[in-house]
Amino acid sequence: MFTRVCPLPASVRYVRSFSISTTRSAKAIIYTRNGEPTDVLTVRTLPALAVPRGDQVKLRFKLSPVNPADLNVIQGAYPAKPHPRDDLGTAEPAFVAGNEGLAIVEDVGEDVSVVQKGDWVIFSTPQFGTWVSEAIARQSDIIRVPRASNSSLSEVQAATLTVNPPTALALLTQFASLEPGEFVIQNGANSSVGQAVIQIAHRHGLKTINLVRDREGIEDLKGQLKSLGADYVMTYNELGEKTARETVRDWTDSKPIRLGLNCVGGKDTTLMARFLGQDAHLVSYGAMSKAPLSLPTSLFIFKNLTCHGYWQSRWYQQHSAEERQSLIAEIVGMMESGLLQEPSHEIVVLQGSDEEMQSTVKDAIGTSASGRHKKILFHFADI
Amino acid sequence: MFTRVCPLPASVRYVRSFSISTTRSAKAIIYTRNGEPTDVLTVRTLPALAVPRGDQVKLRFKLSPVNPADLNVIQGAYPAKPHPRDDLGTAEPAFVAGNEGLAIVEDVGEDVSVVQKGDWVIFSTPQFGTWVSEAIARQSDIIRVPRASNSSLSEVQAATLTVNPPTALALLTQFASLEPGEFVIQNGANSSVGQAVIQIAHRHGLKTINLVRDREGIEDLKGQLKSLGADYVMTYNELGEKTARETVRDWTDSKPIRLGLNCVGGKDTTLMARFLGQDAHLVSYGAMSKAPLSLPTSLFIFKNLTCHGYWQSRWYQQHSAEERQSLIAEIVGMMESGLLQEPSHEIVVLQGSDEEMQSTVKDAIGTSASGRHKKILFHFADI
């Protein structure tokens, strides 16, 4: 019995880990040229991963979210691009899709100090290529998820914490200095960022006016956003009605709205901007309509409107590892304290043959691109 | 002979001044309803002005500039509106046109301390109604023009110093922190503000790329702007050519352009914005095309563009009398030192009957609105 409780020597643990990684097939969602994701994505079984050496870390992925920007990257319509890879067993260099993900450390090289086996990690290197079941990373690519003991943090929360919640926090704090009781107006309010904005604003005592597209089940959606803390929800159509100005004036008690958040662009945003007050800031972080932002010059000159953009990737580029770690700790704290709930989501399990997985991926992405508001996360079934 | 060189006693001087003001006919360019300036403006002989009392000042106007915004005020398409007046001898309340002007103090009330007879003054109260030959103002409406002894300041410079040169100075200093050698790109570069931007930028070691409409005599205009210190001048058509990006890259040596100035709006401004570099600021102070400012959202998100507006009237509203006086002194200093030349201009002398004056006014305004680039200033001939 003595031998069974004695810890295995390091070499044995190492062999065991190596043996798992070679018998399990690693999968990746890849593309070799830009195009519509449903056209160009394929699922591929990867060559066996090497044993991590030096500062390398071997990761097994738990969840790989699909963000709208991921699709733009695949289309080639995004300034950040993944590195071409020649270790995927493809005839030509290929790209692994995905920017965000949650993985578990399975093994570490001898120089790795920031994580250990079993840690949850997320990615600080943009466009790491997270739509995979396993990967070798360098420790500089990852951030350990700092979970409290008995943490309530869910896998979905951890997988989606690097992009949307920090964006929402920055939108609410970096542009206008708002006092409790002041109003924020946002479009695309049911996006993941929008949902985080509602929750963070609510906890800071800010009031939100949330704009969404009219749709089947709009009343359910309104209820859902209100349950997150939304003060008011209206459709773009309702905002365009003659009575809207009076309605909004009633809600705000004629206080000027000094912060507008935009992930849509186009004429609905022009309309929203007209509801902003003197000295307001309009911050764009997305362009779902693909139409430009078109504003009367008078808003800038006479109402002193300022228009900004926000891109979380730039923040990560411009800040140190310590600052990134500290931001992540702040977001995790918000999640553990119940301030930030999971985004509404659907986990899509990938299993079966490569062809079956590929078909599941394309179906899921087709649904995601059609503007359904649930965030999709891929999970590779253990194979 | 003694009596002829002896100064007149004060009371006699007073009577003399009074006698002039009652025998000379004061004229004003007025309107009673908003509309096209050429439709709604009339010239009117005013009732005799009262003798100034208390903090009142009696003014005789030297020059009354026509700014594009003056026409927008008359059209009713401008947020600042003049006060309706019931002292003009009209059946219904009327408005005197004009925001900017140079006047000479002819007489002062007993409580006036900031100016004395013979001083040149300009106006700190927006929409004072400066298109008149004479007026009674309060001392808080005016700023004394602080001329050095033997000042080279011309009447045209003094008449045009409250709006355009301070706007140019603010555009260059309040939004982007530029180092000598950096580039500014501006449209409407032959506007009065544009001309001031060229001169101030040149003296600060900044390089300017100046955009103008194609027109007859374009080479003359290019030469004229270059003589003010413009580094490069090109038309919107030239900017739209395929080779433009390479041309601009040659000029800037691939340095990012971090400041764009816009008084036009519309598609020419969208085009200009595409030439701005990372972290640039685009400041709008006019909208001559009347088309909105339409920009791809990607410029905000990925290039971190910030869009602002600037309105000199707001600056005056938000700053104290001392700050306003200090700004004016700075601009006068720039003019006296030769840094800022007179804008290219034409003085339109108003004389003859009210009908003749009215016809001259409308002709001049028709020319001004048609986009000719000389600033027009009205001067009422001594009557």
PDB file of all heavy atoms in Angstrom, chain A residues 78-79 285-286 292-295 300-302 304 306-307 309 311 314, chain B residues 78-79 285-286 293-295 300-302 304 306-307 309 311 314:
ATOM      1  N   TYR A  78      -9.821  43.096 -40.511  1.00  0.00           N
ATOM      2  CA  TYR A  78      -9.476  43.494 -39.142  1.00  0.00           C
ATOM      3  C   TYR A  78      -7.987  43.779 -39.119  1.00  0.00           C
ATOM      4  O   TYR A  78      -7.207  43.046 -39.742  1.00  0.00           O
ATOM      5  CB  TYR A  78      -9.807  42.329 -38.203  1.00  0.00           C
ATOM      6  CG  TYR A  78     -10.024  42.707 -36.761  1.00  0.00           C
ATOM      7  CD1 TYR A  78     -11.202  43.323 -36.364  1.00  0.00           C
ATOM      8  CD2 TYR A  78      -9.059  42.439 -35.797  1.00  0.00           C
ATOM      9  CE1 TYR A  78     -11.424  43.653 -35.033  1.00  0.00           C
ATOM     10  CE2 TYR A  78      -9.280  42.767 -34.464  1.00  0.00           C
ATOM     11  CZ  TYR A  78     -10.462  43.372 -34.088  1.00  0.00           C
ATOM     12  OH  TYR A  78     -10.680  43.698 -32.784  1.00  0.00           O
ATOM     13  N   PRO A  79      -7.582  44.828 -38.421  1.00  0.00           N
ATOM     14  CA  PRO A  79      -6.154  45.163 -38.486  1.00  0.00           C
ATOM     15  C   PRO A  79      -5.241  44.169 -37.768  1.00  0.00           C
ATOM     16  O   PRO A  79      -4.081  44.045 -38.117  1.00  0.00           O
ATOM     17  CB  PRO A  79      -6.077  46.542 -37.834  1.00  0.00           C
ATOM     18  CG  PRO A  79      -7.330  46.697 -37.073  1.00  0.00           C
ATOM     19  CD  PRO A  79      -8.359  45.819 -37.696  1.00  0.00           C
ATOM     20  N   TYR A 285     -16.987  51.292 -30.237  1.00  0.00           N
ATOM     21  CA  TYR A 285     -16.140  50.104 -30.027  1.00  0.00           C
ATOM     22  C   TYR A 285     -16.518  48.980 -30.969  1.00  0.00           C
ATOM     23  O   TYR A 285     -15.962  47.891 -30.906  1.00  0.00           O
ATOM     24  CB  TYR A 285     -16.214  49.637 -28.560  1.00  0.00           C
ATOM     25  CG  TYR A 285     -17.588  49.143 -28.152  1.00  0.00           C
ATOM     26  CD1 TYR A 285     -17.902  47.789 -28.197  1.00  0.00           C
ATOM     27  CD2 TYR A 285     -18.573  50.026 -27.723  1.00  0.00           C
ATOM     28  CE1 TYR A 285     -19.168  47.332 -27.833  1.00  0.00           C
ATOM     29  CE2 TYR A 285     -19.827  49.577 -27.365  1.00  0.00           C
ATOM     30  CZ  TYR A 285     -20.117  48.230 -27.420  1.00  0.00           C
ATOM     31  OH  TYR A 285     -21.375  47.777 -27.065  1.00  0.00           O
ATOM     32  N   GLY A 286     -17.459  49.254 -31.873  1.00  0.00           N
ATOM     33  CA  GLY A 286     -17.866  48.247 -32.838  1.00  0.00           C
ATOM     34  C   GLY A 286     -18.637  48.916 -33.961  1.00  0.00           C
ATOM     35  O   GLY A 286     -18.966  50.105 -33.870  1.00  0.00           O
ATOM     36  N   PRO A 292     -20.860  53.786 -41.965  1.00  0.00           N
ATOM     37  CA  PRO A 292     -19.996  54.738 -41.251  1.00  0.00           C
ATOM     38  C   PRO A 292     -20.761  55.499 -40.168  1.00  0.00           C
ATOM     39  O   PRO A 292     -21.989  55.477 -40.122  1.00  0.00           O
ATOM     40  CB  PRO A 292     -19.529  55.698 -42.346  1.00  0.00           C
ATOM     41  CG  PRO A 292     -20.516  55.559 -43.448  1.00  0.00           C
ATOM     42  CD  PRO A 292     -21.049  54.161 -43.378  1.00  0.00           C
ATOM     43  N   LEU A 293     -20.001  56.169 -39.350  1.00  0.00           N
ATOM     44  CA  LEU A 293     -20.570  57.032 -38.321  1.00  0.00           C
ATOM     45  C   LEU A 293     -20.738  58.403 -38.963  1.00  0.00           C
ATOM     46  O   LEU A 293     -19.760  59.036 -39.357  1.00  0.00           O
ATOM     47  CB  LEU A 293     -19.591  57.095 -37.146  1.00  0.00           C
ATOM     48  CG  LEU A 293     -20.028  57.868 -35.921  1.00  0.00           C
ATOM     49  CD1 LEU A 293     -21.326  57.317 -35.364  1.00  0.00           C
ATOM     50  CD2 LEU A 293     -18.945  57.785 -34.849  1.00  0.00           C
ATOM     51  N   SER A 294     -21.979  58.843 -39.094  1.00  0.00           N
ATOM     52  CA  SER A 294     -22.267  60.087 -39.815  1.00  0.00           C
ATOM     53  C   SER A 294     -22.986  61.045 -38.879  1.00  0.00           C
ATOM     54  O   SER A 294     -24.076  60.738 -38.389  1.00  0.00           O
ATOM     55  CB  SER A 294     -23.134  59.754 -41.033  1.00  0.00           C
ATOM     56  OG  SER A 294     -23.373  60.915 -41.773  1.00  0.00           O
ATOM     57  N   LEU A 295     -22.351  62.191 -38.608  1.00  0.00           N
ATOM     58  CA  LEU A 295     -22.894  63.105 -37.603  1.00  0.00           C
ATOM     59  C   LEU A 295     -22.914  64.528 -38.140  1.00  0.00           C
ATOM     60  O   LEU A 295     -21.969  64.958 -38.809  1.00  0.00           O
ATOM     61  CB  LEU A 295     -22.020  63.046 -36.341  1.00  0.00           C
ATOM     62  CG  LEU A 295     -21.950  61.684 -35.658  1.00  0.00           C
ATOM     63  CD1 LEU A 295     -20.868  61.675 -34.591  1.00  0.00           C
ATOM     64  CD2 LEU A 295     -23.293  61.317 -35.048  1.00  0.00           C
ATOM     65  N   PHE A 300     -20.633  68.759 -33.128  1.00  0.00           N
ATOM     66  CA  PHE A 300     -19.267  68.976 -32.645  1.00  0.00           C
ATOM     67  C   PHE A 300     -19.063  70.446 -32.249  1.00  0.00           C
ATOM     68  O   PHE A 300     -18.532  70.744 -31.190  1.00  0.00           O
ATOM     69  CB  PHE A 300     -18.247  68.599 -33.726  1.00  0.00           C
ATOM     70  CG  PHE A 300     -18.214  67.129 -34.039  1.00  0.00           C
ATOM     71  CD1 PHE A 300     -18.853  66.614 -35.145  1.00  0.00           C
ATOM     72  CD2 PHE A 300     -17.549  66.253 -33.198  1.00  0.00           C
ATOM     73  CE1 PHE A 300     -18.830  65.266 -35.434  1.00  0.00           C
ATOM     74  CE2 PHE A 300     -17.513  64.892 -33.468  1.00  0.00           C
ATOM     75  CZ  PHE A 300     -18.159  64.398 -34.595  1.00  0.00           C
ATOM     76  N   ILE A 301     -19.481  71.352 -33.140  1.00  0.00           N
ATOM     77  CA  ILE A 301     -19.162  72.772 -32.933  1.00  0.00           C
ATOM     78  C   ILE A 301     -19.989  73.357 -31.790  1.00  0.00           C
ATOM     79  O   ILE A 301     -19.451  73.942 -30.860  1.00  0.00           O
ATOM     80  CB  ILE A 301     -19.392  73.581 -34.230  1.00  0.00           C
ATOM     81  CG1 ILE A 301     -18.544  72.994 -35.367  1.00  0.00           C
ATOM     82  CG2 ILE A 301     -19.055  75.054 -34.002  1.00  0.00           C
ATOM     83  CD1 ILE A 301     -18.753  73.686 -36.706  1.00  0.00           C
ATOM     84  N   PHE A 302     -21.314  73.184 -31.857  1.00  0.00           N
ATOM     85  CA  PHE A 302     -22.165  73.917 -30.926  1.00  0.00           C
ATOM     86  C   PHE A 302     -22.480  73.132 -29.660  1.00  0.00           C
ATOM     87  O   PHE A 302     -22.721  73.715 -28.617  1.00  0.00           O
ATOM     88  CB  PHE A 302     -23.465  74.334 -31.626  1.00  0.00           C
ATOM     89  CG  PHE A 302     -23.214  75.153 -32.864  1.00  0.00           C
ATOM     90  CD1 PHE A 302     -23.793  74.811 -34.080  1.00  0.00           C
ATOM     91  CD2 PHE A 302     -22.369  76.251 -32.820  1.00  0.00           C
ATOM     92  CE1 PHE A 302     -23.547  75.560 -35.216  1.00  0.00           C
ATOM     93  CE2 PHE A 302     -22.110  77.000 -33.953  1.00  0.00           C
ATOM     94  CZ  PHE A 302     -22.702  76.652 -35.157  1.00  0.00           C
ATOM     95  N   ASN A 304     -20.379  70.709 -28.576  1.00  0.00           N
ATOM     96  CA  ASN A 304     -19.079  70.287 -28.034  1.00  0.00           C
ATOM     97  C   ASN A 304     -18.976  68.774 -27.857  1.00  0.00           C
ATOM     98  O   ASN A 304     -18.372  68.285 -26.900  1.00  0.00           O
ATOM     99  CB  ASN A 304     -18.794  70.999 -26.710  1.00  0.00           C
ATOM    100  CG  ASN A 304     -17.318  71.017 -26.381  1.00  0.00           C
ATOM    101  OD1 ASN A 304     -16.471  70.941 -27.275  1.00  0.00           O
ATOM    102  ND2 ASN A 304     -16.982  71.097 -25.107  1.00  0.00           N
ATOM    103  N   THR A 306     -17.552  65.155 -28.385  1.00  0.00           N
ATOM    104  CA  THR A 306     -16.263  64.551 -28.722  1.00  0.00           C
ATOM    105  C   THR A 306     -16.506  63.080 -29.053  1.00  0.00           C
ATOM    106  O   THR A 306     -17.226  62.395 -28.328  1.00  0.00           O
ATOM    107  CB  THR A 306     -15.263  64.660 -27.555  1.00  0.00           C
ATOM    108  OG1 THR A 306     -15.210  66.017 -27.114  1.00  0.00           O
ATOM    109  CG2 THR A 306     -13.864  64.229 -27.985  1.00  0.00           C
ATOM    110  N   CYS A 307     -15.925  62.626 -30.164  1.00  0.00           N
ATOM    111  CA  CYS A 307     -16.071  61.223 -30.571  1.00  0.00           C
ATOM    112  C   CYS A 307     -14.747  60.487 -30.422  1.00  0.00           C
ATOM    113  O   CYS A 307     -13.720  60.958 -30.912  1.00  0.00           O
ATOM    114  CB  CYS A 307     -16.488  61.134 -32.036  1.00  0.00           C
ATOM    115  SG  CYS A 307     -18.228  61.431 -32.272  1.00  0.00           S
ATOM    116  N   GLY A 309     -12.775  56.344 -30.086  1.00  0.00           N
ATOM    117  CA  GLY A 309     -12.888  54.917 -30.302  1.00  0.00           C
ATOM    118  C   GLY A 309     -12.213  54.189 -29.149  1.00  0.00           C
ATOM    119  O   GLY A 309     -11.366  54.760 -28.449  1.00  0.00           O
ATOM    120  N   TRP A 311     -10.501  50.254 -28.229  1.00  0.00           N
ATOM    121  CA  TRP A 311     -10.110  48.923 -28.694  1.00  0.00           C
ATOM    122  C   TRP A 311      -9.315  48.263 -27.575  1.00  0.00           C
ATOM    123  O   TRP A 311      -8.201  48.700 -27.252  1.00  0.00           O
ATOM    124  CB  TRP A 311      -9.252  49.061 -29.958  1.00  0.00           C
ATOM    125  CG  TRP A 311      -9.014  47.769 -30.691  1.00  0.00           C
ATOM    126  CD1 TRP A 311      -9.786  46.652 -30.684  1.00  0.00           C
ATOM    127  CD2 TRP A 311      -7.924  47.495 -31.577  1.00  0.00           C
ATOM    128  NE1 TRP A 311      -9.250  45.691 -31.505  1.00  0.00           N
ATOM    129  CE2 TRP A 311      -8.100  46.182 -32.063  1.00  0.00           C
ATOM    130  CE3 TRP A 311      -6.811  48.223 -32.011  1.00  0.00           C
ATOM    131  CZ2 TRP A 311      -7.212  45.582 -32.945  1.00  0.00           C
ATOM    132  CZ3 TRP A 311      -5.934  47.631 -32.887  1.00  0.00           C
ATOM    133  CH2 TRP A 311      -6.130  46.325 -33.364  1.00  0.00           C
ATOM    134  N   ARG A 314      -5.645  47.376 -28.051  1.00  0.00           N
ATOM    135  CA  ARG A 314      -4.642  48.454 -27.911  1.00  0.00           C
ATOM    136  C   ARG A 314      -4.261  48.622 -26.445  1.00  0.00           C
ATOM    137  O   ARG A 314      -3.097  48.796 -26.108  1.00  0.00           O
ATOM    138  CB  ARG A 314      -5.181  49.770 -28.486  1.00  0.00           C
ATOM    139  CG  ARG A 314      -4.155  50.881 -28.475  1.00  0.00           C
ATOM    140  CD  ARG A 314      -4.576  52.107 -29.272  1.00  0.00           C
ATOM    141  NE  ARG A 314      -5.930  52.513 -28.970  1.00  0.00           N
ATOM    142  CZ  ARG A 314      -6.921  52.509 -29.839  1.00  0.00           C
ATOM    143  NH1 ARG A 314      -6.709  52.169 -31.084  1.00  0.00           N
ATOM    144  NH2 ARG A 314      -8.135  52.878 -29.468  1.00  0.00           N
TER     145      ARG A 314
ATOM    146  N   TYR B  78     -28.389  78.887 -36.676  1.00  0.00           N
ATOM    147  CA  TYR B  78     -27.219  79.044 -35.805  1.00  0.00           C
ATOM    148  C   TYR B  78     -27.740  79.132 -34.381  1.00  0.00           C
ATOM    149  O   TYR B  78     -28.765  79.772 -34.126  1.00  0.00           O
ATOM    150  CB  TYR B  78     -26.504  80.346 -36.191  1.00  0.00           C
ATOM    151  CG  TYR B  78     -25.054  80.413 -35.797  1.00  0.00           C
ATOM    152  CD1 TYR B  78     -24.089  79.718 -36.518  1.00  0.00           C
ATOM    153  CD2 TYR B  78     -24.643  81.186 -34.721  1.00  0.00           C
ATOM    154  CE1 TYR B  78     -22.747  79.799 -36.171  1.00  0.00           C
ATOM    155  CE2 TYR B  78     -23.302  81.269 -34.371  1.00  0.00           C
ATOM    156  CZ  TYR B  78     -22.360  80.577 -35.106  1.00  0.00           C
ATOM    157  OH  TYR B  78     -21.033  80.655 -34.768  1.00  0.00           O
ATOM    158  N   PRO B  79     -27.058  78.461 -33.462  1.00  0.00           N
ATOM    159  CA  PRO B  79     -27.617  78.446 -32.103  1.00  0.00           C
ATOM    160  C   PRO B  79     -27.554  79.803 -31.386  1.00  0.00           C
ATOM    161  O   PRO B  79     -28.348  80.049 -30.498  1.00  0.00           O
ATOM    162  CB  PRO B  79     -26.768  77.405 -31.379  1.00  0.00           C
ATOM    163  CG  PRO B  79     -25.548  77.233 -32.205  1.00  0.00           C
ATOM    164  CD  PRO B  79     -25.887  77.607 -33.607  1.00  0.00           C
ATOM    165  N   TYR B 285     -14.622  73.150 -37.163  1.00  0.00           N
ATOM    166  CA  TYR B 285     -15.033  74.499 -36.727  1.00  0.00           C
ATOM    167  C   TYR B 285     -15.976  75.138 -37.737  1.00  0.00           C
ATOM    168  O   TYR B 285     -16.378  76.290 -37.573  1.00  0.00           O
ATOM    169  CB  TYR B 285     -13.812  75.385 -36.479  1.00  0.00           C
ATOM    170  CG  TYR B 285     -12.997  75.676 -37.731  1.00  0.00           C
ATOM    171  CD1 TYR B 285     -13.226  76.821 -38.470  1.00  0.00           C
ATOM    172  CD2 TYR B 285     -12.027  74.784 -38.174  1.00  0.00           C
ATOM    173  CE1 TYR B 285     -12.493  77.083 -39.632  1.00  0.00           C
ATOM    174  CE2 TYR B 285     -11.301  75.042 -39.327  1.00  0.00           C
ATOM    175  CZ  TYR B 285     -11.542  76.186 -40.050  1.00  0.00           C
ATOM    176  OH  TYR B 285     -10.825  76.431 -41.198  1.00  0.00           O
ATOM    177  N   GLY B 286     -16.353  74.396 -38.771  1.00  0.00           N
ATOM    178  CA  GLY B 286     -17.269  74.930 -39.770  1.00  0.00           C
ATOM    179  C   GLY B 286     -17.809  73.785 -40.600  1.00  0.00           C
ATOM    180  O   GLY B 286     -17.341  72.648 -40.492  1.00  0.00           O
ATOM    181  N   LEU B 293     -20.467  65.072 -41.215  1.00  0.00           N
ATOM    182  CA  LEU B 293     -19.140  64.476 -41.107  1.00  0.00           C
ATOM    183  C   LEU B 293     -19.344  62.967 -41.020  1.00  0.00           C
ATOM    184  O   LEU B 293     -19.945  62.473 -40.071  1.00  0.00           O
ATOM    185  CB  LEU B 293     -18.467  65.010 -39.841  1.00  0.00           C
ATOM    186  CG  LEU B 293     -17.035  64.588 -39.596  1.00  0.00           C
ATOM    187  CD1 LEU B 293     -16.148  64.992 -40.752  1.00  0.00           C
ATOM    188  CD2 LEU B 293     -16.536  65.241 -38.311  1.00  0.00           C
ATOM    189  N   SER B 294     -18.863  62.253 -42.029  1.00  0.00           N
ATOM    190  CA  SER B 294     -19.124  60.814 -42.109  1.00  0.00           C
ATOM    191  C   SER B 294     -17.796  60.076 -42.136  1.00  0.00           C
ATOM    192  O   SER B 294     -16.996  60.270 -43.049  1.00  0.00           O
ATOM    193  CB  SER B 294     -19.935  60.536 -43.372  1.00  0.00           C
ATOM    194  OG  SER B 294     -20.249  59.172 -43.444  1.00  0.00           O
ATOM    195  N   LEU B 295     -17.558  59.242 -41.135  1.00  0.00           N
ATOM    196  CA  LEU B 295     -16.250  58.604 -40.988  1.00  0.00           C
ATOM    197  C   LEU B 295     -16.414  57.116 -40.721  1.00  0.00           C
ATOM    198  O   LEU B 295     -17.300  56.716 -39.955  1.00  0.00           O
ATOM    199  CB  LEU B 295     -15.491  59.253 -39.824  1.00  0.00           C
ATOM    200  CG  LEU B 295     -15.198  60.742 -39.994  1.00  0.00           C
ATOM    201  CD1 LEU B 295     -14.696  61.331 -38.686  1.00  0.00           C
ATOM    202  CD2 LEU B 295     -14.189  60.982 -41.104  1.00  0.00           C
ATOM    203  N   PHE B 300     -11.931  55.325 -35.709  1.00  0.00           N
ATOM    204  CA  PHE B 300     -12.004  55.576 -34.263  1.00  0.00           C
ATOM    205  C   PHE B 300     -11.417  54.399 -33.491  1.00  0.00           C
ATOM    206  O   PHE B 300     -10.610  54.569 -32.586  1.00  0.00           O
ATOM    207  CB  PHE B 300     -13.457  55.798 -33.830  1.00  0.00           C
ATOM    208  CG  PHE B 300     -14.065  57.053 -34.375  1.00  0.00           C
ATOM    209  CD1 PHE B 300     -14.911  57.021 -35.469  1.00  0.00           C
ATOM    210  CD2 PHE B 300     -13.784  58.280 -33.801  1.00  0.00           C
ATOM    211  CE1 PHE B 300     -15.473  58.179 -35.981  1.00  0.00           C
ATOM    212  CE2 PHE B 300     -14.331  59.448 -34.301  1.00  0.00           C
ATOM    213  CZ  PHE B 300     -15.176  59.402 -35.398  1.00  0.00           C
ATOM    214  N   ILE B 301     -11.848  53.180 -33.861  1.00  0.00           N
ATOM    215  CA  ILE B 301     -11.489  52.012 -33.047  1.00  0.00           C
ATOM    216  C   ILE B 301     -10.011  51.658 -33.231  1.00  0.00           C
ATOM    217  O   ILE B 301      -9.273  51.527 -32.259  1.00  0.00           O
ATOM    218  CB  ILE B 301     -12.368  50.795 -33.409  1.00  0.00           C
ATOM    219  CG1 ILE B 301     -13.850  51.149 -33.198  1.00  0.00           C
ATOM    220  CG2 ILE B 301     -11.984  49.572 -32.562  1.00  0.00           C
ATOM    221  CD1 ILE B 301     -14.809  50.037 -33.580  1.00  0.00           C
ATOM    222  N   PHE B 302      -9.582  51.509 -34.478  1.00  0.00           N
ATOM    223  CA  PHE B 302      -8.249  50.945 -34.711  1.00  0.00           C
ATOM    224  C   PHE B 302      -7.163  52.011 -34.827  1.00  0.00           C
ATOM    225  O   PHE B 302      -6.006  51.744 -34.534  1.00  0.00           O
ATOM    226  CB  PHE B 302      -8.262  50.052 -35.951  1.00  0.00           C
ATOM    227  CG  PHE B 302      -9.280  48.952 -35.865  1.00  0.00           C
ATOM    228  CD1 PHE B 302     -10.208  48.743 -36.869  1.00  0.00           C
ATOM    229  CD2 PHE B 302      -9.331  48.142 -34.737  1.00  0.00           C
ATOM    230  CE1 PHE B 302     -11.154  47.733 -36.772  1.00  0.00           C
ATOM    231  CE2 PHE B 302     -10.277  47.135 -34.628  1.00  0.00           C
ATOM    232  CZ  PHE B 302     -11.196  46.929 -35.650  1.00  0.00           C
ATOM    233  N   ASN B 304      -7.564  55.048 -33.381  1.00  0.00           N
ATOM    234  CA  ASN B 304      -7.698  55.892 -32.195  1.00  0.00           C
ATOM    235  C   ASN B 304      -7.902  57.360 -32.538  1.00  0.00           C
ATOM    236  O   ASN B 304      -7.399  58.263 -31.858  1.00  0.00           O
ATOM    237  CB  ASN B 304      -6.471  55.730 -31.288  1.00  0.00           C
ATOM    238  CG  ASN B 304      -6.768  56.124 -29.852  1.00  0.00           C
ATOM    239  OD1 ASN B 304      -7.916  56.085 -29.420  1.00  0.00           O
ATOM    240  ND2 ASN B 304      -5.752  56.532 -29.126  1.00  0.00           N
ATOM    241  N   THR B 306      -9.733  60.839 -32.599  1.00  0.00           N
ATOM    242  CA  THR B 306     -10.680  61.575 -31.766  1.00  0.00           C
ATOM    243  C   THR B 306     -11.202  62.765 -32.565  1.00  0.00           C
ATOM    244  O   THR B 306     -10.411  63.473 -33.184  1.00  0.00           O
ATOM    245  CB  THR B 306     -10.013  62.060 -30.464  1.00  0.00           C
ATOM    246  OG1 THR B 306      -9.334  60.968 -29.835  1.00  0.00           O
ATOM    247  CG2 THR B 306     -11.041  62.611 -29.494  1.00  0.00           C
ATOM    248  N   CYS B 307     -12.519  62.960 -32.534  1.00  0.00           N
ATOM    249  CA  CYS B 307     -13.130  64.089 -33.254  1.00  0.00           C
ATOM    250  C   CYS B 307     -13.685  65.099 -32.259  1.00  0.00           C
ATOM    251  O   CYS B 307     -14.427  64.733 -31.349  1.00  0.00           O
ATOM    252  CB  CYS B 307     -14.288  63.604 -34.119  1.00  0.00           C
ATOM    253  SG  CYS B 307     -13.743  62.863 -35.642  1.00  0.00           S
ATOM    254  N   GLY B 309     -15.071  69.445 -31.738  1.00  0.00           N
ATOM    255  CA  GLY B 309     -15.536  70.675 -32.363  1.00  0.00           C
ATOM    256  C   GLY B 309     -14.928  71.860 -31.642  1.00  0.00           C
ATOM    257  O   GLY B 309     -14.524  71.740 -30.474  1.00  0.00           O
ATOM    258  N   TRP B 311     -15.663  76.157 -31.070  1.00  0.00           N
ATOM    259  CA  TRP B 311     -16.515  77.321 -31.306  1.00  0.00           C
ATOM    260  C   TRP B 311     -15.990  78.457 -30.444  1.00  0.00           C
ATOM    261  O   TRP B 311     -16.034  78.381 -29.219  1.00  0.00           O
ATOM    262  CB  TRP B 311     -17.957  76.972 -30.917  1.00  0.00           C
ATOM    263  CG  TRP B 311     -18.980  77.966 -31.345  1.00  0.00           C
ATOM    264  CD1 TRP B 311     -18.911  78.841 -32.388  1.00  0.00           C
ATOM    265  CD2 TRP B 311     -20.259  78.176 -30.737  1.00  0.00           C
ATOM    266  NE1 TRP B 311     -20.062  79.570 -32.472  1.00  0.00           N
ATOM    267  CE2 TRP B 311     -20.911  79.188 -31.480  1.00  0.00           C
ATOM    268  CE3 TRP B 311     -20.928  77.611 -29.652  1.00  0.00           C
ATOM    269  CZ2 TRP B 311     -22.190  79.647 -31.156  1.00  0.00           C
ATOM    270  CZ3 TRP B 311     -22.198  78.063 -29.343  1.00  0.00           C
ATOM    271  CH2 TRP B 311     -22.819  79.060 -30.089  1.00  0.00           C
ATOM    272  N   ARG B 314     -18.065  79.912 -27.632  1.00  0.00           N
ATOM    273  CA  ARG B 314     -18.106  79.190 -26.352  1.00  0.00           C
ATOM    274  C   ARG B 314     -16.920  79.584 -25.486  1.00  0.00           C
ATOM    275  O   ARG B 314     -17.041  79.762 -24.284  1.00  0.00           O
ATOM    276  CB  ARG B 314     -18.136  77.673 -26.591  1.00  0.00           C
ATOM    277  CG  ARG B 314     -18.263  76.874 -25.310  1.00  0.00           C
ATOM    278  CD  ARG B 314     -18.550  75.391 -25.550  1.00  0.00           C
ATOM    279  NE  ARG B 314     -17.632  74.818 -26.501  1.00  0.00           N
ATOM    280  CZ  ARG B 314     -17.991  74.320 -27.680  1.00  0.00           C
ATOM    281  NH1 ARG B 314     -19.263  74.284 -28.027  1.00  0.00           N
ATOM    282  NH2 ARG B 314     -17.104  73.836 -28.506  1.00  0.00           N
TER     283      ARG B 314
END
